[in-house]
């Protein structure tokens, strides 16, 4: 079968009634979650991950995985879109990726063009989604064909690169990011080792034998951590919400933003494909690029529609691009995709080059549903944007305890132990204090997901080489990955050193 | 950057690293005659984590300035909410999901901000009973029940 046949098969999966329902629910819930104060895409996906597990419990594993992934992906880009709503109407970006949108978006809203700004970001997101989809279709096959020749040594090196790439790009201090990454890997070793079957760090405590649940940690760190932050720091949304008048953009608006949308989709997609570089970098690159290209750069920051179209398009294109390393190589490039990978593993489906061979329904179903989801997002958001904007007013008095209750429920419905509930609360408290002090959380979650696979591949490579560590340098591909990983750490250090001297 | 927090965090991570290194000694060093055993990976992680923690402690001594941004934290509100959460989680299985959640939410809402008790009661009841009913009855995911001591829910 060629790619087109697979895509058609994917659409037949995406058009199953329950999957349309899941995509719809995902987009609606995601948008709502993105608009709600204090919850971004990563928190939203983490918070709702356990629920997807419960909802799909009745299906067979393959269908359940496809449906869960469709739902999560819907939540992901729904939340991205919701985040831009708050940036435009309230000057409060829901997550770092929509910071750039506030620059011109809020100005546009102040000038009475909130509707046009929201509409253009919906249109931009839609185009970005479609371009990312095309890129995914074109790139996924060749990439997974290369990756299929990888042995354990190459995989180990690739994962090391993926982990370091994410750790090197988030947060202010690389030391802290690497500490978080190592802690994640360390947490992953608790339990029964898959290779040898020996129990490690379990101290004869039965609940530890199955290992530390990724789901519990992710929900705790991201969802509860945010709640505790809001409760402790008494965050208030002070800005006045700007009324939306006309939703449809004018012809001139569309004309002005057509080219920026096209350029930013492509740029965002390729940035998204790189591990570690995610939506945040894509949106700021796109904004800066448009400002440079523009004939009249002075209008940026004063409500230029290009300044909304470009970053919004780029961050959605990057979200699509980020799925490529996840699906083809099994390496998530961001916190959110790490959570989605955790979801796949929960269904016993191993992301990576074999995914396209072994579970075509899951991959192509997801790819097709991205198209369906993007279309729904567009159709849904143009008329409903005013309704969603109302959610910004949700009082945190009710929201915060409800999120705690929801997290507890979600974790309990999957794990069924009091131990996991305690672990959830501990992760929440730690998540707050760590992220407040610039210890980035995504590397830990990513490492917890990848940990067992990193170790598995390392052990297999070492078994092949009879314990000779040089195997990682003798295989050329592995050596290249490891050299890039090393440079990733060394170059910033050199730059820092030189800056100090100057 | 918070010098004190980073220093203590560094020491704590160092302790974890030492713990990992010492504990991995008790894991078998070989499996099925292979020269590498399941102890290698945790041992390596422990060593790397140790190095990075020492680096963090070292860095924390070199912070140029002590930032004094003073944000008044709502410790009381946070404390009550956290305590309520701990009690809620510990006794969830004994009390039953619906009742425990109802109580937790009610306390939570009132801790966040006093007042509007009727509205709080209504939301707590709807959420707790609603979730219990949907998951227990419709989706067949059993949540802890209170029927053994209350007769219902």
């Amino acid at each position: 079968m060629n790619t087109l046949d697979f895509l058609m098969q994917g659409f037949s999966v995406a058009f199953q009634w329950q999957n349309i329902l899941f995509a719809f629910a995902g987009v609606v819930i995601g948008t709502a979650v993105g608009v709600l104060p204090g919850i971004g895409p990563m928190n939203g996906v983490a918070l709702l991950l356990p629920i997807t597990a419960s909802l799909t419990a009745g299906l067979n594993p393959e269908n359940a995985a496809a449906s869960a992934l469709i739902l999560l992906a819907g939540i992901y880009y729904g939340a991205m879109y919701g985040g831009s709503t708050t940036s435009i109407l309230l000057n409060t970006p829901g997550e770092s990726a929509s910071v750039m949108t506030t620059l011109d978006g809020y100005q546009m809203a102040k000038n009475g063009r909130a509707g046009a700004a929201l509409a253009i970001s919906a249109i931009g997101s839609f185009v970005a989604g479609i371009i990312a989809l095309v890129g995914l279709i074109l790139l996924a096959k060749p990439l997974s064909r290369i990756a299929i020749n990888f042995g354990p040594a190459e995989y180990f090196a690739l994962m090391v690169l993926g982990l370091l790439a994410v750790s090197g790009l988030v947060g202010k201090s690389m030391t802290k990011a690497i500490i978080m990454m190592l802690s994640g890997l360390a947490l992953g070793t608790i339990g029964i080792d898959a290779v040898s079957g020996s129990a490690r760090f379990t101290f004869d405590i039965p609940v530890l034998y199955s290992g530390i649940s990724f789901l519990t940690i992710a929900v705790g760190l991201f969802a509860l951590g945010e709640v505790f932050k809001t409760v402790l720091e008494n965050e208030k949304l002070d800005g006045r919400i700007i009324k939306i008048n006309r939703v449809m953009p004018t012809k001139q608006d569309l004309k002005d933003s057509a080219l920026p949308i096209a350029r930013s989709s492509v740029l965002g997609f390729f940035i998204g494909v790189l591990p570690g570089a995610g939506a945040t970098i894509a949106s700021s690159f796109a904004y800066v690029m448009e400002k440079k290209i523009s004939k009249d750069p002075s209008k940026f920051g004063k409500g230029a529609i290009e300044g909304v179209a470009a970053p919004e398009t780029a961050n959605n294109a990057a979200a699509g691009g980020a799925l490529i390393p996840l699906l083809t190589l099994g390496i998530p490039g961001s916190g959110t995709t790490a959570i989605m990978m955790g979801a796949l593993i929960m269904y016993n489906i191993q992301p990576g080059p074999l995914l396209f061979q072994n579970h075509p329904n899951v991959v192509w179903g997801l790819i097709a549903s991205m198209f369906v989801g993007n279309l729904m997002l567009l159709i849904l958001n143009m008329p409903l944007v005013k309704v969603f904007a109302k959610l910004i007013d949700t009082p945190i008095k009710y929201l915060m305890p409800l999120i705690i209750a929801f997290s507890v429920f979600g974790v309990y419905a999957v794990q069924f132990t009091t131990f996991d509930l305690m672990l959830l609360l501990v992760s929440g408290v730690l998540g707050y204090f760590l992220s407040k002090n610039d210890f980035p959380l995504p590397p830990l979650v990513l490492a917890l997901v990848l940990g067992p696979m990193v170790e598995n591949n390392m052990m297999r490579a070492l078994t092949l080489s009879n314990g000779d560590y040089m195997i990682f340098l003798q295989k050329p591909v592995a050596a290249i990955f490891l050299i890039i990983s090393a440079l990733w750490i060394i170059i910033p250090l050199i730059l820092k050193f030189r800056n100090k001297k100057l | 950057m918070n010098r004190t927090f980073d220093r203590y965090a560094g020491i704590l991570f160092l302790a974890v690293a030492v713990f990992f290194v010492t504990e991995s000694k008790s894991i078998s060093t070989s499996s099925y005659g292979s020269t590498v055993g399941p102890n290698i990976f945790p041992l390596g992680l422990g060593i790397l984590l140790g190095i990075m923690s020492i680096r963090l402690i070292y860095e924390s001594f070199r912070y140029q300035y002590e930032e004094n941004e003073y944000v008044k934290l709502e410790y009381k509100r946070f404390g009550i909410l956290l305590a309520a959460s701990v009690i809620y989680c510990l006794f969830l299985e004994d009390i039953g999901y619906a009742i425990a959640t109802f109580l937790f939410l009610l306390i939570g809402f009132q801790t966040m901000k006093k007042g509007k008790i009727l509205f709080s009661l209504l939301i707590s009841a709807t959420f707790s009973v609603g979730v219990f009913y949907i998951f227990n009855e419709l989706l067949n995911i059993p949540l802890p029940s209170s029927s053994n001591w209350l007769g219902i829910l």
Side-chain angles (χ1 to χ4, degrees):
Chain A
M1 277 211 286
N2 62 29
T3 308
L4 218 60
D5 292 332
F6 275 119
L7 188 64
M8 286 302 120
Q9 196 190 337
F11 272 105
S12 73
V13 173
F15 282 125
Q16 283 167 7
W17 67 269
Q18 82 266 25
N19 288 341
I20 292 190
L21 203 68
F22 277 132
F24 179 74
V27 170
V28 174
I29 297 171
T31 313
V33 163
V35 172
L36 284 173
I39 324 178
M42 193 151 54
N43 322 98
V45 174
L47 191 62
L48 293 162
L49 173 65
I51 309 301
T52 59
S54 327
L55 284 180
T56 54
L59 304 165
N60 75 44
E62 176 136 332
N63 288 344
S67 300
L69 216 59
I70 287 170
L71 184 60
L72 287 175
I75 294 168
Y76 182 23
Y77 32 78
M80 302 264 298
Y81 182 74
S84 39
T85 311
T86 54
S87 323
I88 291 168
L89 295 181
L90 208 65
N91 205 15
T92 315
E95 19 100 33
S96 52
S98 40
V99 171
M100 299 312 277
T101 314
T102 58
L103 297 179
D104 279 279
Y106 188 61
Q107 293 301 325
M108 275 185 80
K110 269 176 143 178
N111 297 342
R113 297 211 294 150
L118 288 167
I120 211 70
S121 78
I123 294 168
S125 308
F126 176 73
V127 175
I130 302 305
I131 291 198
L133 187 66
V134 174
L136 193 58
I137 293 166
L138 294 177
L139 273 180
K141 265 278 166 114
L143 261 179
S144 60
R145 206 168 289 150
I146 298 171
I148 213 155
N149 297 322
F150 284 5
E154 282 87 352
Y155 259 111
F156 170 76
L158 182 63
M159 284 172 184
V160 170
L161 175 61
L163 284 173
L164 283 176
V166 170
S167 309
L169 282 168
V170 291
K172 292 178 189 160
S173 150
M174 195 186 261
T175 314
K176 290 178 180 176
I178 291 176
I179 286 183
M180 293 303 276
M181 182 196 90
L182 291 170
S183 310
L185 288 174
L187 277 176
T189 62
I190 295 172
I192 304 238
D193 167 36
V195 178
S196 64
S198 55
R200 295 186 298 189
F201 308 108
T202 52
F203 311 106
D204 295 325
I205 302 166
V207 281
L208 286 179
Y209 279 103
S210 55
I212 297 288
S213 156
F214 147 80
L215 181 130
T216 310
I217 300 279
V219 176
L221 289 179
F222 292 126
L224 281 193
E226 272 304 308
V227 170
F228 290 154
K229 178 176 184 308
T230 313
V231 171
L232 263 169
E233 299 182 357
N234 203 9
E235 282 187 348
K236 280 199 189 96
L237 298 171
D238 290 326
R240 201 171 51 87
I241 300 163
I242 292 171
K243 278 231 173 75
I244 308 162
N245 303 317
R246 189 194 141 90
V247 176
M248 286 309 288
T250 60
K251 275 220 172 93
Q252 185 61 38
D253 288 339
L254 288 175
K255 219 180 116 196
D256 285 343
S257 36
L259 273 177
I261 286 179
R263 283 190 291 257
S264 307
S265 319
V266 178
L267 178 80
F269 174 77
F270 283 107
I271 293 179
V273 172
L274 301 174
T280 311
I281 295 176
S283 65
S284 36
F285 263 41
Y287 186 86
V288 172
M289 181 178 79
E290 285 308 321
K291 199 172 167 179
K292 281 243 167 75
I293 295 177
S294 172
K295 284 179 199 129
D296 180 15
S298 63
K299 70 181 173 185
F300 279 82
K302 290 177 193 152
I305 196 152
E306 296 94 324
V308 178
E312 275 305 302
T313 308
N315 80 30
N316 278 279
L323 287 175
I324 290 194
L326 171 69
L327 295 177
T328 55
L329 306 173
I331 304 222
S334 66
T336 317
T337 42
I339 295 170
M340 288 169 74
M341 177 158 174
L344 279 176
I345 294 172
M346 267 169 37
Y347 290 101
N348 215 1
I349 286 175
Q350 183 71 53
L354 287 172
L355 187 64
F356 282 80
Q357 236 172 49
N358 295 350
H359 305 283
N361 280 345
V362 177
V363 194
W364 292 104
L366 171 70
I367 291 174
S369 86
M370 279 174 62
F371 177 79
V372 179
N374 274 306
L375 196 64
M376 278 181 185
L377 202 60
L378 188 67
I379 299 170
L380 204 73
N381 278 311
M382 300 291 259
L384 286 183
V385 71
K386 290 181 186 176
V387 180
F388 280 122
K390 289 232 163 61
L391 283 173
I392 300 177
D393 276 335
T394 311
I396 59 166
K397 168 183 176 181
Y398 298 109
L399 196 58
M400 295 305 128
L402 278 172
I403 295 177
I404 300 179
F406 204 71
S407 313
V408 166
F409 159 72
V411 166
Y412 190 83
V414 176
Q415 302 294 127
F416 293 109
T417 64
T418 307
F419 169 78
D420 273 276
L421 294 182
M422 289 296 131
L423 187 63
L424 172 77
L425 294 179
V426 172
S427 322
V429 175
L430 283 179
Y432 166 71
F433 283 107
L434 287 172
S435 76
K436 185 181 152 72
N437 289 292
D438 302 318
F439 285 84
L441 304 175
L444 188 146
V445 173
L446 193 63
L448 184 59
V449 174
L450 283 179
M453 274 172 278
V454 173
E455 178 176 15
N456 197 330
N457 282 298
M458 186 185 103
M459 297 309 283
R460 276 166 50 199
L462 287 176
T463 311
L464 284 175
S465 71
N466 222 353
D468 181 5
Y469 285 89
M470 290 313 284
I471 184 172
F472 298 115
L473 297 178
Q474 282 157 356
K475 302 255 177 189
V477 178
I480 290 169
F481 286 146
L482 287 178
I483 290 168
I484 300 174
S485 316
L487 290 177
W488 207 280
I489 295 188
I490 294 166
I491 289 175
L493 282 180
I494 295 173
L495 289 178
K496 209 172 156 189
F497 189 66
R498 270 182 47 186
N499 273 348
K500 260 186 199 150
K501 267 193 169 170
L502 287 172
Chain B
M1 295 208 194
N2 188 333
R3 190 194 300 235
T4 330
F5 182 91
D6 285 1
R7 196 167 303 158
Y8 282 113
I11 292 168
L12 208 70
F13 279 117
L14 186 62
V16 172
V18 171
F19 176 76
F20 253 75
V21 172
T22 47
E23 274 301 313
S24 64
K25 289 222 171 88
S26 62
I27 302 171
S28 81
T29 50
S30 161
S31 59
Y32 314 121
S34 165
T35 44
V36 283
N39 65 323
I40 292 289
F41 192 67
L43 181 68
L45 281 180
I47 293 169
L48 285 176
L49 187 59
I51 295 171
M52 292 315 285
S53 320
I54 291 167
R55 187 176 155 78
L56 180 67
I57 298 169
Y58 167 74
E59 277 177 4
S60 77
F61 279 102
R62 298 182 25 140
Y63 289 160
Q64 303 281 330
Y65 52 92
E66 187 91 352
E67 218 170 274
N68 265 331
E69 56 167 70
Y70 183 74
V71 189
K72 197 170 161 278
L73 293 179
E74 304 255 349
Y75 280 117
K76 195 181 153 202
R77 192 164 84 162
F78 171 70
I80 298 175
L81 203 62
L82 186 63
S85 310
V86 171
I87 295 169
Y88 170 47
C89 291
L90 278 178
F91 294 102
L92 181 67
E93 289 182 334
D94 301 318
I95 305 175
Y97 180 79
I99 303 287
T101 308
F102 172 76
L103 291 174
F104 168 74
L105 283 178
L106 195 60
I107 294 168
F109 293 154
Q110 292 302 316
T111 311
M112 290 294 292
K113 203 174 171 194
K114 277 218 172 68
K116 288 195 184 171
I117 190 92
L118 214 65
F119 204 50
S120 299
L121 278 169
L122 194 72
I123 297 182
S124 315
T126 316
F127 181 87
S128 50
V129 177
V131 167
F132 183 77
Y133 178 78
I134 290 172
F135 279 81
N136 239 16
E137 305 290 324
L138 299 182
L139 295 170
N140 272 327
I141 293 165
L143 291 168
S145 155
S146 334
S147 54
N148 55 347
W149 64 273
L150 198 66
I152 49 160
L153 290 170

